[in-house]
Amino acid sequence: MINETDVILFPTDTVYGIGVKPNKEALNKLYEIKKRDRNKKIVALVSSKEKAYEILEENTLVYNIIDKCFPGELTIISKANVNFLEKLGYSDDIGVRMPSNDIALKIIEDAGGILMTSSANLSGENAAIRLEDVSSQIINNVDIVIKNDNGLSGTSSSIYKIIENEIFEVRKGNFKIDNIEKIKEETFEK
């Protein structure tokens, strides 16, 4: 079981990630280990669609995308629930993703259903799909390491930001914008 300030290194469905429970102290540890700019937010990986709905403010388009596209290699950035943001010291929005890897989902569920997660690499370096490729600087500073090199795609998730009902592509990945645009059309033709 992951403690409140533990940092865990684990496989997602795309690359290895490092994650912490959603609180400021743990998040600070993650930023320090990654040597990440504190202005760059960390994504919330969730174990269920319901956890995603808890984190994000209600938005019909966002909820429809989550309902039809989670789990998978898709991160949605949208306006977040104020109570959740206060735990992190963030403001306004957050990225949310539900991986399609049973090991990752079990780890996230055991941690309470939400892990603030980033790829397990020092900022600016490539993400790892094998544990042996994770920097020793990261491995030596995390509290828990879970190894399973099977089934990682090696491609970081697609990221789409949704502001009200507008969709913006932030990062290309395996999940195509056409799929999101189709859900938008379906949502608003009703």
Side-chain angles (χ1 to χ4, degrees):
M1 183 71 169
I2 184 171
N3 294 322
E4 286 306 305
T5 59
D6 283 348
V7 180
I8 184 169
L9 169 64
F10 67 103
T12 68
D13 51 350
T14 55
V15 297
Y16 270 91
I18 57 174
V20 296
K21 286 188 172 185
N23 66 69
K24 290 177 191 174
E25 186 180 350
L27 204 53
N28 283 336
K29 283 178 66 176
L30 190 149
Y31 275 104
E32 287 173 23
I33 291 169
K34 274 191 64 87
K35 302 193 179 324
R36 185 175 174 95
D37 178 348
R38 297 205 185 246
N39 292 322
K40 293 182 178 180
K41 293 180 181 173
I42 303 291
V43 170
L45 289 191
V46 296
S47 60
S48 68
K49 295 174 186 180
E50 290 72 27
K51 286 292 182 184
Y53 304 143
E54 280 179 32
I55 293 172
L56 299 171
E57 274 192 6
E58 190 169 343
N59 174 307
T60 302
L61 176 58
V62 171
Y63 281 21
N64 283 346
I65 292 168
I66 289 168
D67 189 49
K68 293 179 180 180
C69 302
F70 278 19
E73 297 182 21
L74 170 66
T75 300
I76 295 295
I77 299 173
S78 189
K79 197 158 182 64
N81 172 315
V82 175
N83 295 328
F84 185 75
L85 291 176
E86 286 176 358
K87 291 183 191 180
L88 308 174
Y90 284 1
S91 62
D92 198 35
D93 58 19
I94 194 161
V96 178
R97 186 167 96 77
M98 182 181 171
S100 61
N101 173 313
D102 290 339
I103 293 168
L105 291 171
K106 175 79 172 113
I107 291 165
I108 298 163
E109 180 65 35
D110 288 349
I114 302 169
L115 273 180
M116 301 305 297
T117 306
S118 183
S119 54
N121 58 305
L122 298 174
S123 282
E125 293 184 356
N126 291 330
I129 58 169
R130 297 179 316 167
L131 187 61
E132 66 191 47
D133 296 331
V134 176
S135 164
S136 61
Q137 237 178 310
I138 296 225
I139 291 175
N140 294 336
N141 286 294
V142 299
D143 301 293
I144 301 166
V145 176
I146 307 292
K147 179 183 180 183
N148 188 319
D149 294 345
N150 298 324
L152 296 147
S153 72
T155 303
S156 296
S157 68
S158 301
I159 302 176
Y160 297 100
K161 184 170 187 170
I162 299 171
I163 301 172
E164 293 178 13
N165 294 318
E166 293 301 313
I167 302 166
F168 302 90
E169 186 172 59
V170 176
R171 180 174 70 197
K172 287 185 184 287
N174 290 331
F175 197 94
K176 304 300 178 213
I177 195 164
D178 296 353
N179 298 324
I180 301 285
E181 293 288 353
K182 184 174 186 227
I183 294 168
K184 180 180 175 179
E185 287 172 22
E186 292 168 356
T187 298
F188 297 111
E189 69 184 22
K190 295 176 181 174

